[in-house]
Amino acid sequence: MAEETKKRKADHIKICLERKAQARKATTGFENVHLIHKALPEVDRAKIDLSTTVLGYKFYAPIIVGAMTGGTEEATKINGAIAEAVEKLHLGMGVGSQRAAIEDKGLVKTFAIVRKKAPNAFLIANIGGVQLVHGYGAKEVKKAMDMINADALAIHLNALQEAVQPEGQTNFEVVLAKICEIARALKKPVIVKETGAGIAAEEARELEAAGVKGIDVGGCGGTSFAAVEYFRVEEEEKRFLADAFWDWGIPTAVSIVEVTQTVKMPVIASGGLRSGTDVAKALALDACLASVSQPVLSAAVKSAKETEKVLSCLIEELRNVMFLVGARGVKELAKVPVVITGTTAEWLTTRGFKLRGYARRGAT
Ligand SMILES: Cc1cc2nc3c(=O)[nH]c(=O)nc-3n(C[C@H](O)[C@H](O)[C@H](O)COP(=O)(O)O)c2cc1C
């Protein structure tokens, strides 16, 4: 079993690096989210403070690297590079699903490297919600947390991925009850994250009631796990489901609004965030952190320095947007006027969300 998991993880990395496993027609919706330029910003760009405190940790900037990998030699290198970069920049990161190392002690070092390289960064352990349905419990969670001395646990939801895989686990019955058990028993915060299909208001509400302390929307418009599975399957006749569901999901910008307007807990924006401007838009829609995966992966296979460069560019672009909208800090960014147009606005108003509040925030 561990061998199979290890091979699948290696395939994911290879595909995400070499193929275009990104949404094909779907978009994040950020193209319909507009920040209003402020001709009189009344802000000294040099004094802009990007720091923010989330789940008790002070981040230099509201950016983390999303869960990606572990379990192989290459994954050790990638995890090490990301960890070194986030330590230097005072950010945070998630590791990929730790299932392989929970089942094979020999693979623990492929994850443990992150705490070695990042003694102070915010580190997020990772297990699958579907694994909780299929036998995982407090013991396995403890192993995952201890492996990296984690600050939080992410439970990932990947129904789409499992549904398009020929060997996928598609029994998700009682997944919420299992998440609830873990969330209530664990002393550290539990974050529930999607992996590219987004989270709607209804599920956010249920997760809040279950005791979850953070939601990472993992919306549609960036990396598509249907696409990843499409490239993994060699037989043409087994690819049709992955092809059909390539662009399935709730666009990231929509999911952020659905979740932030529904629950009172930190919301992490992820899924197709590709620039500092995307990060700024996510924060202006009340997300408290932005998480980036695929663009960091391409840098992390090269080095920690390259990883740091990618993250620093995001930070500088974010700082520039904050200057241009007159936000001295991330709290002020959450109050700037935002206009939502097009299909993103239509989606949200049809679902009963109020959008005028965003546009009028800056009005006096
Ligand atoms: C190569 C790769 C492997 C991933 N593996 C995991 C995983 O093991 N667990 C998880 O929760 N998410 C995993 N993800 C999903 C990401 O955390 C993120 O939700 C998704 O990629 C969307 O972000 P992006 O568009 O910036 O890539 C993986 C993503 C990539 C690119």
Side-chain angles (χ1 to χ4, degrees):
M1 178 57 89
E3 270 311 304
E4 213 181 289
T5 313
K6 211 171 120 180
K7 159 110 180 47
R8 188 162 57 236
K9 291 285 140 190
D11 284 351
H12 288 167
I13 294 293
K14 196 169 151 52
I15 289 165
C16 287
L17 286 170
E18 295 173 7
R19 314 298 287 261
K20 203 162 180 336
Q22 300 294 298
R24 217 163 25 190
K25 293 189 202 113
T27 62
T28 57
F30 284 128
E31 71 281 7
N32 293 322
V33 176
H34 310 274
L35 301 173
I36 314 286
H37 173 69
K38 192 166 187 174
L40 293 170
E42 299 282 358
V43 167
D44 178 354
R45 187 185 186 280
K47 289 187 193 151
I48 290 173
D49 178 9
L50 292 124
S51 71
T52 187
T53 300
V54 181
L55 297 173
Y57 183 86
K58 187 171 180 190
F59 296 81
Y60 168 74
I63 293 173
I64 60 172
V65 178
M68 278 189 286
T69 197
T72 64
E73 213 168 285
E74 190 185 24
T76 316
K77 227 185 102 194
I78 294 168
N79 274 340
I82 299 171
E84 221 177 300
V86 299
E87 176 74 9
K88 195 142 177 225
L89 297 170
H90 299 277
L91 305 175
M93 71 177 281
V95 293
S97 167
Q98 290 167 266
R99 182 179 170 198
I102 289 169
E103 288 167 18
D104 177 356
K105 263 194 191 156
L107 301 177
V108 165
K109 58 181 182 298
T110 69
F111 292 95
I113 185 155
V114 297
R115 187 48 92 195
K116 237 192 231 164
K117 297 273 181 186
N120 303 298
F122 190 81
L123 298 184
I124 310 170
N126 191 292
I127 58 158
V130 75
Q131 260 70 64
L132 296 175
V133 175
H134 294 271
Y136 274 26
K139 194 174 117 209
E140 287 76 16
V141 165
K142 184 176 178 337
K143 273 193 194 176
M145 297 292 286
D146 288 350
M147 213 180 282
I148 61 167
N149 188 12
D151 299 291
L153 171 73
I155 300 178
H156 70 256
L157 300 176
N158 66 338
L160 169 65
Q161 182 186 14
E162 299 290 349
V164 301
Q165 262 180 58
E167 76 277 22
Q169 284 184 309
T170 47
N171 178 5
F172 272 65
E173 272 175 1
V174 303
V175 66
L176 181 63
K178 297 286 178 187
I179 290 172
C180 184
E181 269 174 36
I182 301 296
R184 297 203 186 283
L186 198 68
K187 290 206 173 68
K188 300 272 174 78
V190 169
I191 299 165
V192 168
K193 75 183 285 288
E194 240 293 345
T195 47
I199 294 181
E202 291 83 347
E203 284 68 43
R205 195 172 291 120
E206 289 184 320
L207 291 167
E208 185 174 51
V212 164
K213 296 288 187 296
I215 291 180
D216 177 337
V217 301
C220 177
T223 302
S224 158
F225 263 88
V228 173
E229 294 304 332
Y230 176 91
F231 290 120
R232 264 190 71 226
V233 174
E234 272 148 29
E235 305 91 324
E236 195 60 42
E237 71 276 11
K238 287 191 184 164
R239 283 179 152 180
F240 77 99
L241 274 181
D243 190 29
F245 289 86
W246 192 298
D247 288 307
W248 176 268
I250 306 167
T252 298
V254 169
S255 190
I256 294 169
V257 173
E258 291 231 356
V259 179
T260 54
Q261 285 199 20
T262 306
V263 296
K264 285 193 176 58
M265 68 169 99
V267 174
I268 303 172
S270 74
L273 276 78
R274 297 293 176 260
S275 65
T277 306
D278 287 345
V279 172
K281 288 177 178 180
L283 267 76
L285 292 178
D286 296 325
C288 65
L289 289 174
S291 169
V292 182
S293 295
Q294 210 283 335
V296 174
L297 179 64
S298 324
V301 286
K302 294 184 195 138
S303 65
K305 251 203 152 40
E306 284 298 317
T307 311
E308 195 189 327
K309 232 192 258 173
V310 167
L311 291 169
S312 300
C313 285
L314 280 178
I315 292 171
E316 277 318 291
E317 187 178 335
L318 170 63
R319 191 192 305 278
N320 237 37
V321 176
M322 288 171 70
F323 175 59
L324 296 174
V325 297
R328 288 176 194 82
V330 295
K331 283 212 173 86
E332 285 189 16
L333 183 55
K335 293 204 179 90
V336 301
V338 182
V339 172
I340 305 179
T341 59
T343 50
T344 308
E346 275 168 39
W347 181 313
L348 288 165
T349 47
T350 307
R351 292 266 293 155
F353 293 97
K354 296 210 166 37
L355 305 186
R356 282 191 54 170
Y358 296 115
R360 296 170 60 233
R361 278 174 185 180
T364 49

